[in-house]
Amino acid sequence: MTALRPAEPLLAPSLLSADFARLGEALTLLEEAGGCVAHVDVMDGRFVPNLTIGMPVVESLRKATSLPLDCHLMIVEPHRYAEAFVAAGANWVSVHQEADPHLHRTLAAIRAAGAKVGVVLNPGTPVETLVDLVGDFDFVLLMSVNPGFGGQAFIPRVLDKIRRLDALRTERQQPFFIEVDGGVGPDNAQALVAAGADVLVAGNAVFKAADPKAAVRDLCARMKAGRG
Ligand code: DX5
Ligand code: ZN
């Protein structure tokens, strides 16, 4: 049901695939291309086997752009840091269900801090585990790779998860949005939106493209086509 989805699909290019010495330029490119939020992958070397960035970098990104910052926390004990990411300037904050046994409390704390809040599900975590949290989150981020690295192959079973989540929001009449992250590119963007996704994360498909701005525009066009 359209009213339960954002008016337009959005692209969330992942800064993980950009040059970390030139993040300001990456943000300017996304602003010029249009239709974007900036996806920020926060990794702690414990929840995932990689280390990336923390709050000081988000603070700097905040000063450099008016684009919404979508902070994907791949960290253990996310309740310890989630509000600090909001204070640093994150507009959307998502936490992994697998990383937090007290999600209800963490989601409420993030909302109270003033950000949109999302729950992230790894490829092996069923969407049905969210039925008792519907209404407590603004979006669900479905991983279509195992988190930790950019440039991995898309896991197609996420398409069925999107459809089941779309059915859940229709059944509950709750307007949360569905974001998909990992291995997204021109070959699957349209099908993901047609299945019910509203926001697509794309790292390598944008920042490793010969012309990143053209890649953003192409992906956005394919996403719009997915809405039919
Ligand atoms: C993976 C990250 C993704 C990643 C996506 O753990 O959450 O956001 O950067 O990169 P691509 O689009 O290259 O798979
Ligand atoms: Zn991510």
Side-chain angles (χ1 to χ4, degrees):
M1 183 173 287
T2 318
L4 301 171
R5 303 178 70 178
E8 294 279 334
L10 278 172
L11 187 68
S14 169
L15 298 177
L16 183 64
S17 297
D19 180 345
F20 274 20
R22 296 179 162 188
L23 290 176
E25 289 168 44
L27 292 167
T28 302
L29 183 154
L30 301 184
E31 283 172 11
E32 288 173 0
C36 289
V37 304
H39 187 79
V40 181
D41 286 307
V42 176
M43 306 187 189
D44 67 351
R46 293 183 65 206
F47 183 68
V48 289
N50 197 5
L51 284 163
T52 54
I53 62 176
M55 290 86 80
V57 175
V58 172
E59 261 175 48
S60 295
L61 297 173
R62 179 72 293 150
K63 287 181 198 143
T65 187
S66 56
L67 288 176
L69 297 176
D70 168 26
C71 289
H72 172 194
L73 304 188
M74 286 161 275
I75 63 176
V76 298
E77 300 179 329
H79 62 279
R80 292 178 58 191
Y81 298 102
E83 289 160 281
F85 277 95
V86 181
N91 303 88
W92 306 357
V93 174
S94 57
V95 295
H96 272 260
Q97 198 216 50
E98 305 84 3
D100 192 345
H102 304 294
L103 258 189
H104 182 271
R105 184 164 62 201
T106 305
L107 299 180
I110 296 169
R111 265 196 180 161
K116 283 196 191 306
V117 63
V119 181
V120 195
L121 300 182
N122 277 336
T125 306
V127 298
E128 289 72 19
T129 58
L130 292 177
V131 293
D132 293 305
L133 286 171
V134 171
D136 296 322
F137 50 76
D138 302 297
F139 65 103
V140 177
L141 173 49
L142 295 175
M143 293 307 303
S144 39
V145 297
N146 289 293
F149 303 94
Q152 301 184 80
F154 177 77
I155 299 172
R157 282 170 70 166
V158 77
L159 283 158
D160 187 54
K161 292 175 82 172
I162 297 168
R163 291 189 197 103
R164 278 149 51 211
L165 206 46
D166 188 40
L168 180 65
R169 73 179 159 187
T170 304
E171 179 200 316
R172 299 290 187 90
Q173 291 293 296
Q174 284 287 333
F176 59 83
F177 61 88
I178 301 171
E179 185 172 16
V180 178
D181 184 3
V184 171
D187 293 344
N188 53 25
Q190 182 170 342
L192 287 163
V193 172
D198 307 296
V199 183
L200 299 184
V201 178
N204 278 19
V206 170
F207 290 109
K208 305 294 187 205
D211 181 346
K213 210 182 285 184
V216 168
R217 290 184 176 141
D218 174 61
L219 285 166
C220 287
R222 289 171 194 269
M223 290 168 67
K224 277 196 183 134
R227 280 284 181 99

